[in-house]
Amino acid sequence: MKIYLALIGAVTLACTGCKKLLTPDEENRKTVEQMYTDPAYAQGFVMNAYRTIPGYYDNSDYATDDAVTNQRTNNFLLMATGSWTAANNPLSVWNASYGAMQYLNLFLANADKVKWAEDPEAAVMFKRRMKGEAYGLRGLYMYFLLRAHGGIAEDGQLMGVPIITEIQTTDTKDYNMPRATFEACVKQIYKDLDSAEANLPMEYADISSSAQIPDKFKNSTLKPEVYNRVMGQYSRQLFNSLIAKSFRARVGLLAASPAFQHASNTTTWANAADFAAAIIDYKGGVNALPANGGTFYANTGDIDGLSGGNNPSEIIWRENLQTNNSDQESQNFPPTLFGNGYMNPTQNLVDAFPMANGYPITHNSSQYNASNPYAARDPRFARYIIYNGSTAGVSNAVIYTGSASGTDNGINIRETSTRTGYYMKKRLRMDVNRNPASITGKNKYIPRIRYTEMYLAYAEAANQAWGPTGTGTHTYSAYDIIKKIRNRAGVGLTNGDAYLEECKSDKNKMAELIQNERRLELCFESFRFWDLRRWKANLNEVARGMDVNGTTYRQFNVENRSFENYMYYGPIPFSEVLKYSNLVQNKGWL
């Protein structure tokens, strides 16, 4: 698959076995051998792989029952309404992922020859860390490839993607590589994550004595100053063992899900639960769920106090801190707050929030009042969504969203107005001011992995493996996790969460509750699109809105979805199938 060589060449990097990659002026030439004496140059190959990690907020929510967008030419809107093809796939990660793995494979092929430091112990430690990062990142990219492109081929086999663990060069004899099975891809990811964990600390932190050096590094150094130089606080936000464990949990949950249940797939729900439990145990168990994790984006004290690469208690991995930033608010504030209102939550999502007493609004005991639908609801609703009559922004302005409200925030009044009667509040800092006369940004970070995601992964897998109250080899159950999450949210506090108690004796009801909790806790964080597909759930629920004028509440249809069942699996890029005869397409895609 000769699809990545141009990418390497374009940035004047070298391919293994090639003395010279390009033919510029003599002084500009780069060679593989230069890596051996220039560790910064060698490290650059790995750093290039960090730069193309898929974004956490990809806004694929626009293609689900959770949201629509007022950007009428948005790729996800077009995809969800009938334009998703193998040649037009905004969710493809094919080229970026294989391009990143080219860098990583080139690095791994040469890392042992690099003189990482003058100090021999530091040199060994640097080599271990850098190779661990490279293996971990390769596993990361394989996960994203498998999620986006794995699926059922025409012959009924569950297939993954081509496994490429060596650098491809102009000397490579066969680029026409077939797809590996899904199972083989999963095993390759686990193998790479094993290698990452063997070479990386759980987290990067300074130590003060040799006794604090993890056992796996004591054969490399016993000097705290050497350990701190390589594995200390200055390496924070690089790939570590905790991140590797988290991606193992993500892979396990994907592989155990209904869409990937197949005779050739050996990952079980119990495996997935065990993988997630490793992160929960490290965190400290059920009661260690961060108390303010549900509002990670708005915990101003935590965010403004970040320094030295530290993480808030909710965060396993994040992107670098952004200072004086107002991008999310510019994109998503209502128009009267000088935003573009891109993300419009649906009535479907609003209806998924239970009452504060914990009962779904459709339950006989919910006390839901359709004439006053926003009263006594799950507190997360008001935290995550701007609705008619709620307040937002620095001035706590009241936002009216009805079509006859007389404001630019009303339904379809302007191109930047909501289409559903709702605006997104999650992800935004209300202390940002977008007024052009005095724009004031704030500190921000974008997550890559949250602890809450890992707790939810365990709950889902443990319920399927052992039932609502089963624990396997652990000390907590799916029920215990969900009770803690709902308690943190402020749900069911006045009645002992009677609905959760009702569900805990029924595995199927508990599964529905867990899926709904995942929907709420992770809304607008780009999980819903992938979750619906791995669950093989209904993809075509019509996106609905709510028009509120005075005391009148009128629901209406906003946008139809146009998905076929074969779309539970994404396509192999059409251009690649055309080029390589051994690269079979997933069933249904042309």
Side-chain angles (χ1 to χ4, degrees), residues 186-214:
V186 168
K187 288 182 176 178
Q188 179 61 46
I189 295 172
Y190 292 159
K191 181 180 178 181
D192 278 342
L193 297 178
D194 285 341
S195 296
E197 289 193 56
N199 288 289
L200 299 173
M202 189 66 82
E203 294 188 88
Y204 296 104
D206 286 349
I207 61 172
S208 57
S209 72
S210 59
Q212 295 174 288
I213 295 177

mmCIF file of all heavy atoms in Angstrom, residues 186-214:
data_model
loop_
_atom_site.group_PDB
_atom_site.id
_atom_site.type_symbol
_atom_site.label_atom_id
_atom_site.label_comp_id
_atom_site.label_asym_id
_atom_site.label_seq_id
_atom_site.Cartn_x
_atom_site.Cartn_y
_atom_site.Cartn_z
ATOM 1 N N VAL A 186 -7.126 -6.623 16.762
ATOM 2 C CA VAL A 186 -7.262 -6.456 18.212
ATOM 3 C C VAL A 186 -6.022 -6.989 18.921
ATOM 4 O O VAL A 186 -5.469 -6.354 19.830
ATOM 5 C CB VAL A 186 -8.539 -7.152 18.715
ATOM 6 C CG1 VAL A 186 -8.549 -7.256 20.239
ATOM 7 C CG2 VAL A 186 -9.780 -6.401 18.236
ATOM 8 N N LYS A 187 -5.563 -8.164 18.503
ATOM 9 C CA LYS A 187 -4.368 -8.745 19.124
ATOM 10 C C LYS A 187 -3.134 -7.886 18.897
ATOM 11 O O LYS A 187 -2.277 -7.757 19.786
ATOM 12 C CB LYS A 187 -4.152 -10.162 18.607
ATOM 13 C CG LYS A 187 -5.158 -11.173 19.152
ATOM 14 C CD LYS A 187 -4.878 -12.582 18.664
ATOM 15 C CE LYS A 187 -5.831 -13.589 19.306
ATOM 16 N NZ LYS A 187 -5.609 -14.964 18.798
ATOM 17 N N GLN A 188 -3.034 -7.289 17.716
ATOM 18 C CA GLN A 188 -1.904 -6.405 17.446
ATOM 19 C C GLN A 188 -1.951 -5.175 18.345
ATOM 20 O O GLN A 188 -0.919 -4.717 18.856
ATOM 21 C CB GLN A 188 -1.896 -5.976 15.975
ATOM 22 C CG GLN A 188 -0.766 -5.029 15.604
ATOM 23 C CD GLN A 188 0.610 -5.622 15.824
ATOM 24 O OE1 GLN A 188 0.854 -6.761 15.443
ATOM 25 N NE2 GLN A 188 1.509 -4.862 16.444
ATOM 26 N N ILE A 189 -3.147 -4.632 18.541
ATOM 27 C CA ILE A 189 -3.275 -3.479 19.430
ATOM 28 C C ILE A 189 -2.864 -3.858 20.849
ATOM 29 O O ILE A 189 -2.091 -3.142 21.504
ATOM 30 C CB ILE A 189 -4.724 -2.937 19.425
ATOM 31 C CG1 ILE A 189 -5.084 -2.388 18.041
ATOM 32 C CG2 ILE A 189 -4.880 -1.841 20.481
ATOM 33 C CD1 ILE A 189 -6.544 -2.012 17.888
ATOM 34 N N TYR A 190 -3.370 -4.993 21.346
ATOM 35 C CA TYR A 190 -3.001 -5.426 22.693
ATOM 36 C C TYR A 190 -1.492 -5.617 22.804
ATOM 37 O O TYR A 190 -0.874 -5.259 23.824
ATOM 38 C CB TYR A 190 -3.705 -6.732 23.045
ATOM 39 C CG TYR A 190 -5.200 -6.645 23.221
ATOM 40 C CD1 TYR A 190 -6.003 -7.784 23.121
ATOM 41 C CD2 TYR A 190 -5.842 -5.443 23.497
ATOM 42 C CE1 TYR A 190 -7.380 -7.724 23.292
ATOM 43 C CE2 TYR A 190 -7.218 -5.364 23.662
ATOM 44 C CZ TYR A 190 -7.982 -6.515 23.551
ATOM 45 O OH TYR A 190 -9.342 -6.453 23.735
ATOM 46 N N LYS A 191 -0.877 -6.167 21.770
ATOM 47 C CA LYS A 191 0.578 -6.390 21.790
ATOM 48 C C LYS A 191 1.319 -5.064 21.885
ATOM 49 O O LYS A 191 2.277 -4.920 22.672
ATOM 50 C CB LYS A 191 0.997 -7.149 20.533
ATOM 51 C CG LYS A 191 2.493 -7.455 20.456
ATOM 52 C CD LYS A 191 2.830 -8.222 19.176
ATOM 53 C CE LYS A 191 4.331 -8.488 19.076
ATOM 54 N NZ LYS A 191 4.669 -9.207 17.822
ATOM 55 N N ASP A 192 0.905 -4.084 21.088
ATOM 56 C CA ASP A 192 1.560 -2.779 21.138
ATOM 57 C C ASP A 192 1.344 -2.102 22.489
ATOM 58 O O ASP A 192 2.260 -1.461 23.031
ATOM 59 C CB ASP A 192 1.048 -1.879 20.016
ATOM 60 C CG ASP A 192 1.740 -2.151 18.680
ATOM 61 O OD1 ASP A 192 2.821 -2.770 18.685
ATOM 62 O OD2 ASP A 192 1.197 -1.738 17.644
ATOM 63 N N LEU A 193 0.154 -2.232 23.035
ATOM 64 C CA LEU A 193 -0.109 -1.633 24.347
ATOM 65 C C LEU A 193 0.684 -2.337 25.441
ATOM 66 O O LEU A 193 1.129 -1.696 26.403
ATOM 67 C CB LEU A 193 -1.608 -1.653 24.652
ATOM 68 C CG LEU A 193 -2.481 -0.824 23.698
ATOM 69 C CD1 LEU A 193 -3.955 -0.949 24.068
ATOM 70 C CD2 LEU A 193 -2.063 0.651 23.705
ATOM 71 N N ASP A 194 0.874 -3.654 25.312
ATOM 72 C CA ASP A 194 1.748 -4.376 26.247
ATOM 73 C C ASP A 194 3.163 -3.797 26.211
ATOM 74 O O ASP A 194 3.792 -3.585 27.255
ATOM 75 C CB ASP A 194 1.816 -5.863 25.889
ATOM 76 C CG ASP A 194 0.555 -6.630 26.268
ATOM 77 O OD1 ASP A 194 -0.220 -6.124 27.104
ATOM 78 O OD2 ASP A 194 0.358 -7.728 25.709
ATOM 79 N N SER A 195 3.659 -3.561 25.002
ATOM 80 C CA SER A 195 5.016 -3.012 24.859
ATOM 81 C C SER A 195 5.095 -1.605 25.438
ATOM 82 O O SER A 195 6.113 -1.226 26.034
ATOM 83 C CB SER A 195 5.418 -2.995 23.384
ATOM 84 O OG SER A 195 5.497 -4.307 22.863
ATOM 85 N N ALA A 196 4.038 -0.831 25.261
ATOM 86 C CA ALA A 196 4.010 0.513 25.844
ATOM 87 C C ALA A 196 4.071 0.437 27.368
ATOM 88 O O ALA A 196 4.867 1.138 28.010
ATOM 89 C CB ALA A 196 2.754 1.256 25.392
ATOM 90 N N GLU A 197 3.248 -0.430 27.947
ATOM 91 C CA GLU A 197 3.212 -0.533 29.409
ATOM 92 C C GLU A 197 4.536 -1.033 29.981
ATOM 93 O O GLU A 197 4.938 -0.635 31.081
ATOM 94 C CB GLU A 197 2.067 -1.445 29.846
ATOM 95 C CG GLU A 197 0.693 -0.827 29.630
ATOM 96 C CD GLU A 197 -0.410 -1.599 30.338
ATOM 97 O OE1 GLU A 197 -0.304 -1.788 31.565
ATOM 98 O OE2 GLU A 197 -1.358 -2.028 29.660
ATOM 99 N N ALA A 198 5.223 -1.898 29.249
ATOM 100 C CA ALA A 198 6.496 -2.432 29.733
ATOM 101 C C ALA A 198 7.567 -1.357 29.802
ATOM 102 O O ALA A 198 8.542 -1.494 30.567
ATOM 103 C CB ALA A 198 6.957 -3.571 28.830
ATOM 104 N N ASN A 199 7.399 -0.279 29.045
ATOM 105 C CA ASN A 199 8.453 0.730 28.938
ATOM 106 C C ASN A 199 8.081 2.089 29.506
ATOM 107 O O ASN A 199 8.923 3.004 29.489
ATOM 108 C CB ASN A 199 8.845 0.897 27.466
ATOM 109 C CG ASN A 199 9.630 -0.282 26.934
ATOM 110 O OD1 ASN A 199 10.787 -0.474 27.294
ATOM 111 N ND2 ASN A 199 8.985 -1.092 26.093
ATOM 112 N N LEU A 200 6.869 2.232 30.001
ATOM 113 C CA LEU A 200 6.399 3.541 30.458
ATOM 114 C C LEU A 200 5.902 3.487 31.895
ATOM 115 O O LEU A 200 5.350 2.472 32.329
ATOM 116 C CB LEU A 200 5.268 4.042 29.550
ATOM 117 C CG LEU A 200 5.616 4.249 28.076
ATOM 118 C CD1 LEU A 200 4.356 4.570 27.274
ATOM 119 C CD2 LEU A 200 6.654 5.357 27.915
ATOM 120 N N PRO A 201 6.025 4.587 32.637
ATOM 121 C CA PRO A 201 5.454 4.644 33.984
ATOM 122 C C PRO A 201 3.941 4.782 33.907
ATOM 123 O O PRO A 201 3.398 5.162 32.858
ATOM 124 C CB PRO A 201 6.089 5.903 34.573
ATOM 125 C CG PRO A 201 6.299 6.786 33.386
ATOM 126 C CD PRO A 201 6.660 5.857 32.249
ATOM 127 N N MET A 202 3.264 4.508 35.018
ATOM 128 C CA MET A 202 1.817 4.696 35.026
ATOM 129 C C MET A 202 1.477 6.153 34.737
ATOM 130 O O MET A 202 0.638 6.465 33.895
ATOM 131 C CB MET A 202 1.237 4.264 36.368
ATOM 132 C CG MET A 202 -0.273 4.222 36.376
ATOM 133 S SD MET A 202 -0.978 2.958 35.300
ATOM 134 C CE MET A 202 -0.842 1.524 36.358
ATOM 135 N N GLU A 203 2.137 7.055 35.434
ATOM 136 C CA GLU A 203 2.041 8.483 35.158
ATOM 137 C C GLU A 203 3.425 9.095 35.355
ATOM 138 O O GLU A 203 4.253 8.565 36.091
ATOM 139 C CB GLU A 203 1.022 9.167 36.070
ATOM 140 C CG GLU A 203 -0.411 8.718 35.841
ATOM 141 C CD GLU A 203 -1.409 9.551 36.628
ATOM 142 O OE1 GLU A 203 -1.847 10.591 36.105
ATOM 143 O OE2 GLU A 203 -1.753 9.153 37.762
ATOM 144 N N TYR A 204 3.662 10.227 34.709
ATOM 145 C CA TYR A 204 4.946 10.898 34.839
ATOM 146 C C TYR A 204 4.938 11.791 36.078
ATOM 147 O O TYR A 204 4.064 12.651 36.229
ATOM 148 C CB TYR A 204 5.235 11.741 33.591
ATOM 149 C CG TYR A 204 5.375 10.916 32.333
ATOM 150 C CD1 TYR A 204 4.360 10.855 31.385
ATOM 151 C CD2 TYR A 204 6.535 10.181 32.097
ATOM 152 C CE1 TYR A 204 4.486 10.097 30.241
ATOM 153 C CE2 TYR A 204 6.682 9.421 30.950
ATOM 154 C CZ TYR A 204 5.642 9.381 30.028
ATOM 155 O OH TYR A 204 5.773 8.611 28.889
ATOM 156 N N ALA A 205 5.902 11.578 36.962
ATOM 157 C CA ALA A 205 5.988 12.374 38.186
ATOM 158 C C ALA A 205 7.401 12.284 38.735
ATOM 159 O O ALA A 205 8.082 11.262 38.581
ATOM 160 C CB ALA A 205 4.988 11.882 39.226
ATOM 161 N N ASP A 206 7.846 13.361 39.378
ATOM 162 C CA ASP A 206 9.157 13.357 40.018
ATOM 163 C C ASP A 206 9.136 12.498 41.282
ATOM 164 O O ASP A 206 8.106 12.377 41.951
ATOM 165 C CB ASP A 206 9.573 14.780 40.385
ATOM 166 C CG ASP A 206 9.998 15.594 39.172
ATOM 167 O OD1 ASP A 206 10.168 14.995 38.092
ATOM 168 O OD2 ASP A 206 10.142 16.823 39.304
ATOM 169 N N ILE A 207 10.268 11.911 41.575
ATOM 170 C CA ILE A 207 10.432 11.126 42.788
ATOM 171 C C ILE A 207 11.591 11.716 43.594
ATOM 172 O O ILE A 207 12.372 12.524 43.092
ATOM 173 C CB ILE A 207 10.716 9.645 42.472
ATOM 174 C CG1 ILE A 207 12.034 9.515 41.671
ATOM 175 C CG2 ILE A 207 9.551 9.013 41.730
ATOM 176 C CD1 ILE A 207 12.501 8.100 41.486
ATOM 177 N N SER A 208 11.697 11.295 44.860
ATOM 178 C CA SER A 208 12.743 11.849 45.722
ATOM 179 C C SER A 208 13.716 10.803 46.240
ATOM 180 O O SER A 208 14.708 11.140 46.879
ATOM 181 C CB SER A 208 12.105 12.583 46.918
ATOM 182 O OG SER A 208 11.251 11.704 47.639
ATOM 183 N N SER A 209 13.441 9.537 45.984
ATOM 184 C CA SER A 209 14.355 8.486 46.443
ATOM 185 C C SER A 209 14.311 7.307 45.482
ATOM 186 O O SER A 209 13.341 7.119 44.746
ATOM 187 C CB SER A 209 13.979 8.016 47.847
ATOM 188 O OG SER A 209 12.790 7.250 47.827
ATOM 189 N N SER A 210 15.375 6.510 45.514
ATOM 190 C CA SER A 210 15.453 5.353 44.627
ATOM 191 C C SER A 210 14.361 4.330 44.934
ATOM 192 O O SER A 210 13.951 3.576 44.047
ATOM 193 C CB SER A 210 16.829 4.702 44.732
ATOM 194 O OG SER A 210 17.082 4.286 46.055
ATOM 195 N N ALA A 211 13.871 4.317 46.164
ATOM 196 C CA ALA A 211 12.810 3.376 46.532
ATOM 197 C C ALA A 211 11.525 3.644 45.768
ATOM 198 O O ALA A 211 10.685 2.749 45.631
ATOM 199 C CB ALA A 211 12.543 3.449 48.031
ATOM 200 N N GLN A 212 11.361 4.854 45.261
ATOM 201 C CA GLN A 212 10.143 5.215 44.533
ATOM 202 C C GLN A 212 10.217 4.865 43.053
ATOM 203 O O GLN A 212 9.220 5.004 42.343
ATOM 204 C CB GLN A 212 9.874 6.710 44.704
ATOM 205 C CG GLN A 212 9.563 7.129 46.132
ATOM 206 C CD GLN A 212 9.451 8.640 46.244
ATOM 207 O OE1 GLN A 212 10.433 9.373 46.167
ATOM 208 N NE2 GLN A 212 8.227 9.111 46.411
ATOM 209 N N ILE A 213 11.354 4.437 42.585
ATOM 210 C CA ILE A 213 11.473 4.048 41.179
ATOM 211 C C ILE A 213 10.669 2.765 40.966
ATOM 212 O O ILE A 213 10.856 1.776 41.676
ATOM 213 C CB ILE A 213 12.951 3.821 40.799
ATOM 214 C CG1 ILE A 213 13.724 5.141 40.908
ATOM 215 C CG2 ILE A 213 13.060 3.251 39.383
ATOM 216 C CD1 ILE A 213 15.203 5.006 40.635
ATOM 217 N N PRO A 214 9.757 2.744 40.015
ATOM 218 C CA PRO A 214 8.992 1.519 39.747
ATOM 219 C C PRO A 214 9.914 0.345 39.458
ATOM 220 O O PRO A 214 10.982 0.502 38.837
ATOM 221 C CB PRO A 214 8.148 1.894 38.518
ATOM 222 C CG PRO A 214 8.020 3.388 38.589
ATOM 223 C CD PRO A 214 9.326 3.870 39.151
#
